[in-house]
């Protein structure tokens, strides 16, 4: 009898949203951007030199990092890039959450946080959101080994005002506070904490190209902080896998930052569709949480939400349903193109009147 099974690092993995092969499916389940990436990105990918595939990529991803530093008006040594923000977040957990005290995050938030904590054997404590799904900042004034907050939060879409986030950061000077800004580009102007990275040495802001820049498939994410934090992060990265971002991701990701006009236009279109669609859902009896993201979290107490989810799926419309306490009568619906949202409303109405 061999006993190798006693020594497995057994994990209960994160469950990503489904990626169906059928092109006819209206896919509103993983918060992807319905619009293509900037034409500059498409051109860069088309002209990508095959010869670059023969060589290792630039381990420092200098082209991308330099462009991000320029874009955010900070120094190159304040930027860390990874294979999507999941890679960046995982690396941050591994690097900075190494205390016996628990790390803190909300009970309802990005469901990857507890998975990394389990994987890296980091003790954690979830802090319940209030009955309106908002963060009560004084709940975070307890001994902890770190804090992670998605702002705006997922899957609720709710934004915590910047002064409240700042208060969490300033009242926890002995902990690294990660602010995951995956959806910040869909929030009102001036919402980001990026301009606080020079003020607080315990703040790390994480961003992704997957949602607002339409590049989920390319896998590009980054963190901004002070040079010391970025150095520790790089030390861990180079102790695990030096070549994270591939050459194409470095090139195309970098170019995406140059097309500010296209970026602003697609975001404005998504925000307009979001506001219109939120009203339409309310008109047919849904409670819709105020969203600062590219998705809505909506529920209707008079229906069986799982039945609606399955009905939509049977009609080739995929949304996300979490069968978890407190949120099992909500659907998370990514904002797609206008015509996709119209089709969705049509099918929801069909379900309500059947
Ligand atoms: C989508 C998402 C991420 C991960 O995005 P990547 O594609 O890995 O960059 C991280 N945090 C939150 C809250 C998200 O919704």
């Amino acid at each position: 009898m061999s006993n190798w099974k006693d020594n497995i690092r057994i994990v209960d993995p994160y469950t990503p949203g489904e990626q169906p092969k059928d092109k006819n499916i209206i896919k509103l389940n993983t918060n992807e951007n319905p619009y293509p990436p900037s034409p500059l990105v498409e051109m860069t990918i088309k002209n990508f030199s095959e010869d670059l595939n023969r060589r290792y990529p630039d381990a420092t991803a200098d082209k991308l990092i330099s462009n991000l530093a320029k874009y955010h008006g900070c120094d190159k040594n304040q930027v860390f890039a990874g294979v999507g923000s999941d890679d960046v977040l995982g690396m941050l957990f591994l690097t900075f959450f190494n205390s016996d005290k628990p790390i803190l995050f909300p009970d309802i938030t990005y469901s990857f946080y507890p998975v990394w904590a389990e994987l890296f054997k980091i003790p954690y404590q979830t802090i319940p959101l209030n009955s309106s799904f908002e963060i009560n900042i004084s709940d975070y004034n307890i001994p902890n080994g770190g804090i992670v907050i998605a702002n705006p939060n997922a899957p609720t879409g709710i934004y915590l005002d910047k002064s409240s986030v700042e208060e969490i950061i300033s009242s926890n000077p002995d902990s690294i506070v990660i602010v995951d800004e995956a959806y910040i580009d869909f929030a009102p102007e001036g919402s980001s904490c990026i301009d606080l990275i020079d003020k607080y040495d315990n703040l790390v802001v994480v961003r992704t190209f997957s949602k607002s820049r339409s590049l989920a498939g390319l896998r590009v994410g980054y963190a901004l902080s002070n040079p010391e934090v970025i150095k520790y992060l790089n030390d861990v990265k180079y102790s695990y896998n030096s070549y994270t971002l591939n050459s194409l991701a470095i090139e195309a990701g970098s170019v995406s930052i140059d097309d500010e006009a296209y970026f602003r236009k697609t975001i404005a279109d998504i925000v307009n569709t979001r506001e219109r669609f939120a009203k339409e859902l309310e008109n047919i009896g849904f409670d819709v949480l105020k969203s600062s993201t590219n998705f809505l979290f909506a529920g209707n107490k008079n229906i069986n939400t799982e039945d609606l989810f399955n009905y939509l799926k049977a009609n080739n419309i995929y949304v996300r349903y979490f069968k978890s306490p407190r949120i099992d009568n909500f659907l998370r619906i990514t904002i797609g193109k206008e015509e996709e949202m119209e089709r969705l409303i049509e099918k929801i109405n069909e379900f309500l009147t059947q």
Side-chain angles (χ1 to χ4, degrees):
M1 271 297 276
S2 62
N3 286 331
W4 58 267
K5 286 191 179 171
D6 295 343
N7 295 322
I8 303 175
R9 189 182 292 272
I10 292 174
V11 288
D12 191 5
Y14 171 76
T15 319
E18 271 181 89
Q19 292 296 95
K21 298 233 164 26
D22 185 346
K23 289 266 191 299
N24 295 318
I25 285 168
I26 296 181
K27 203 174 162 305
L28 308 172
N29 66 333
T30 52
N31 297 343
E32 289 150 329
N33 196 308
Y35 302 107
S38 149
L40 289 185
V41 171
E42 305 284 17
M43 207 162 61
T44 303
I45 292 173
K46 217 175 266 161
N47 297 335
F48 182 70
S49 160
E50 287 270 346
D51 196 45
L52 282 176
N53 286 332
R54 189 174 58 80
R55 296 184 183 273
Y56 279 105
D58 171 12
T60 67
D62 186 63
K63 189 167 180 182
L64 175 66
I65 298 261
S66 301
N67 221 5
L68 282 169
K70 197 174 80 188
Y71 185 75
H72 289 295
C74 64
D75 231 66
K76 274 202 311 195
N77 62 9
Q78 293 183 277
V79 188
F80 175 88
V83 186
S85 55
D86 284 343
D87 180 41
V88 176
L89 285 161
M91 210 64 77
L92 281 164
F93 272 55
L94 186 58
T95 310
F96 295 103
F97 296 162
N98 193 23
S99 162
D100 296 332
K101 290 182 219 153
I103 62 164
L104 311 178
F105 48 83
D107 62 337
I108 298 162
T109 190
Y110 189 34
S111 51
F112 221 136
Y113 302 153
V115 176
W116 284 309
E118 294 280 351
L119 176 63
F120 299 136
K121 302 189 189 303
I122 302 162
Y124 66 96
Q125 180 181 343
T126 57
I127 309 286
L129 297 176
N130 72 16
S131 56
S132 316
F133 297 113
E134 289 159 347
I135 286 175
N136 178 16
I137 56 172
S138 62
D139 293 347
Y140 290 78
N141 291 338
I142 56 172
N144 66 75
I147 293 172
V148 53
I149 283 172
N151 196 39
N153 198 8
T156 63
I158 290 176
Y159 169 70
L160 178 65
D161 67 276
K162 188 173 164 183
S163 58
S164 299
V165 182
E166 181 165 3
E167 201 156 322
I168 294 178
I169 300 161
S170 64
S171 22
N172 287 281
D174 300 325
S175 300
I176 287 288
V177 178
I178 300 173
V179 181
D180 178 355
E181 295 191 338
Y183 300 102
I184 200 79
D185 293 319
F186 303 101
E189 201 79 35
S191 306
S192 171
C193 280
I194 281 186
D195 60 346
L196 300 177
I197 57 169
D198 291 322
K199 188 170 173 190
Y200 299 101
D201 69 353
N202 60 326
L203 168 64
V204 186
V205 178
V206 178
R207 293 279 190 100
T208 178
F209 282 50
S210 298
K211 279 92 185 208
S212 55
R213 293 193 181 275
S214 312
L215 287 174
L218 205 65
R219 311 303 300 130
V220 182
Y222 61 103
L224 300 175
S225 188
N226 60 76
E228 202 182 1
V229 159
I230 299 301
K231 187 204 163 288
Y232 285 124
L233 200 47
N234 270 315
D235 286 348
V236 168
K237 174 198 144 176
Y238 286 105
S239 307
Y240 182 71
N241 177 9
S242 323
Y243 302 108
T244 47
L245 287 146
N246 64 63
S247 304
L248 183 62
I250 294 169
E251 286 288 321
S254 168
V255 163
S256 144
I257 304 163
D258 295 334
D259 201 345
E260 184 70 8
Y262 181 88
F263 177 63
R264 291 289 154 209
K265 166 84 172 75
T266 46
I267 287 171
D269 287 349
I270 290 166
V271 168
N272 285 336
T273 305
R274 178 187 80 201
E275 294 307 303
R276 188 159 34 244
F277 175 58
K279 279 199 198 87
E280 284 187 44
L281 275 179
E282 278 167 357
N283 289 343
I284 56 173
F286 280 78
D287 296 317
V288 185
L289 302 190
K290 169 91 184 110
S291 170
S292 297
T293 63
N294 68 337
F295 60 85
L296 291 178
F297 206 48
N300 184 329
K301 290 189 184 70
N302 303 319
I303 63 167
N304 181 318
T305 310
E306 194 173 12
D307 285 352
L308 172 58
F309 169 77
N310 286 322
Y311 183 82
L312 292 173
K313 193 165 177 180
N315 281 282
N316 277 345
I317 301 177
Y318 283 38
V319 298
R320 195 87 194 257
Y321 174 66
F322 300 93
K323 207 170 183 169
S324 327
R326 297 186 74 189
I327 55 170
D328 54 3
N329 59 353
F330 282 87
L331 292 179
R332 193 196 68 189
I333 305 166
T334 305
I335 303 302
K337 293 181 174 162
E338 283 286 327
E339 59 270 25
E340 294 176 316
M341 304 323 277
E342 277 162 27
R343 173 89 182 153
L344 172 61
I345 285 283
E346 210 177 282
K347 285 293 154 190
I348 294 176
N349 271 322
E350 214 175 272
F351 175 84
L352 294 175
T353 52
Q354 75 184 342

